[in-house]
Amino acid sequence: MTFDRKIKIAPSILSADFADFGREIQAIEAEGCDWVHVDVMDGHFVPNLTFGPPLLKAIRPHIQTVMDVHLMISPVDAYIDAYADAGADILTAHLEAGPHIHRTLQAIRGAGCKAGLALNPGTGLDAVTHLLDMIDLVCVMTVNPGFGGQKFIHSQIEKVRSLRAMIGDRPIHIEIDGGMTPETAPLMAAAGADVFVAGSGVFKGGGVSNPTVYGENIRAIRAAAEGAL
Ligand code: DX5
Ligand code: ZN
């Protein structure tokens, strides 16, 4: 993975057909997505359950781009090796998931993955200052994590603007997760984000039998974000 700040669209397979992940992933990649976002939920850190390392290992061969794994789990550390072995390119852990985020981020890089740090909407940026040399991505949650299809929280725009200034020239992606549409994405592109996760925003209206809708949705979000630069 080489670093750049070009606009990237990362569909979340949380909104895909769970009985057909292989073909869903092939469809979104054929329709032009940049990364594939995989939402891991444990029913403890967030009030929803999704999937674990065996599922990730099974879908990995279908991903040609980047496997971007968002861990909404607590504790994290005991599972890092399993998700790394499953083939994650990026492993993102939540700042709120435990008392030792520094150790967690060290372990993620130690396992050979890019390290991401996710922040809930209610979490400030203070701690990020002390972690800048050990992260490759900050995921700013623009919904409370746990479910797709929620409403974008506008108060996060200022957070992203401050985060972008804090990052400066460092090769750290700013990823936005939750409620991304052609209306909300440009607000975050203008504030400095480069990776746009979209679940319902990409998968709505399409399917493996009419994947061109995925392409239209991806292009609409991308064009809106690029238009704000
Ligand atoms: C929420 C997840 C998101 C979610 C986004 O907890 O982390 O990745 O799938 O879904 P939408 O785009 O529908 O808000
Ligand atoms: Zn996510």
Side-chain angles (χ1 to χ4, degrees):
M1 276 182 75
T2 53
F3 181 84
D4 65 59
R5 288 194 200 283
K6 281 188 274 195
I7 300 293
K8 286 168 276 294
I9 309 298
S12 164
I13 60 166
L14 185 63
S15 295
D17 177 357
F18 273 41
D20 210 356
F21 279 132
R23 290 203 298 162
E24 288 276 46
I25 288 164
Q26 289 161 15
I28 53 175
E29 289 195 339
E31 292 296 330
C33 77
D34 300 280
W35 294 2
V36 176
H37 186 82
V38 182
D39 285 308
V40 175
M41 304 186 187
D42 67 351
H44 168 72
F45 180 68
V46 290
N48 194 6
L49 270 170
T50 54
F51 26 71
L55 187 284
L56 270 69
K57 194 168 260 190
I59 64 174
R60 175 70 257 198
H62 299 279
I63 299 176
Q64 307 293 321
T65 56
V66 170
M67 189 186 214
D68 172 34
V69 178
H70 179 191
L71 296 176
M72 285 161 277
I73 66 173
S74 174
V76 182
D77 296 13
Y79 301 99
I80 289 171
D81 286 343
Y83 286 103
D85 289 346
D89 295 299
I90 304 167
L91 264 186
T92 296
H94 269 263
L95 177 63
E96 307 85 1
H100 299 296
I101 188 65
H102 190 282
R103 176 187 292 153
T104 300
L105 293 167
Q106 269 179 334
I108 290 173
R109 279 196 174 168
C113 298
K114 299 278 187 198
L117 173 67
L119 306 175
N120 282 334
T123 299
L125 294 175
D126 292 6
V128 181
T129 323
H130 310 287
L131 301 169
L132 286 172
D133 61 350
M134 52 197 316
I135 53 178
D136 303 289
L137 175 147
V138 179
C139 174
V140 176
M141 294 302 304
T142 39
V143 297
N144 286 296
F147 302 95
Q150 302 182 81
K151 207 168 156 305
F152 177 81
I153 300 172
H154 281 79
S155 62
Q156 303 306 299
I157 298 171
E158 273 317 302
K159 188 196 279 186
V160 169
R161 217 183 301 282
S162 305
L163 176 63
R164 182 68 192 88
M166 186 188 283
I167 285 172
D169 292 332
R170 295 176 183 84
I172 299 175
H173 296 289
I174 299 179
E175 176 177 74
I176 310 299
D177 191 357
M180 281 293 103
T181 66
E183 287 69 49
T184 55
L187 305 172
M188 286 309 201
D194 61 302
V195 185
F196 297 80
V197 174
S200 43
V202 166
F203 286 94
K204 69 163 190 295
V208 294
S209 53
N210 61 335
T212 53
V213 175
Y214 296 162
E216 287 160 17
N217 292 339
I218 290 167
R219 284 191 295 279
I221 297 170
R222 189 193 301 283
E226 287 175 348
L229 298 179

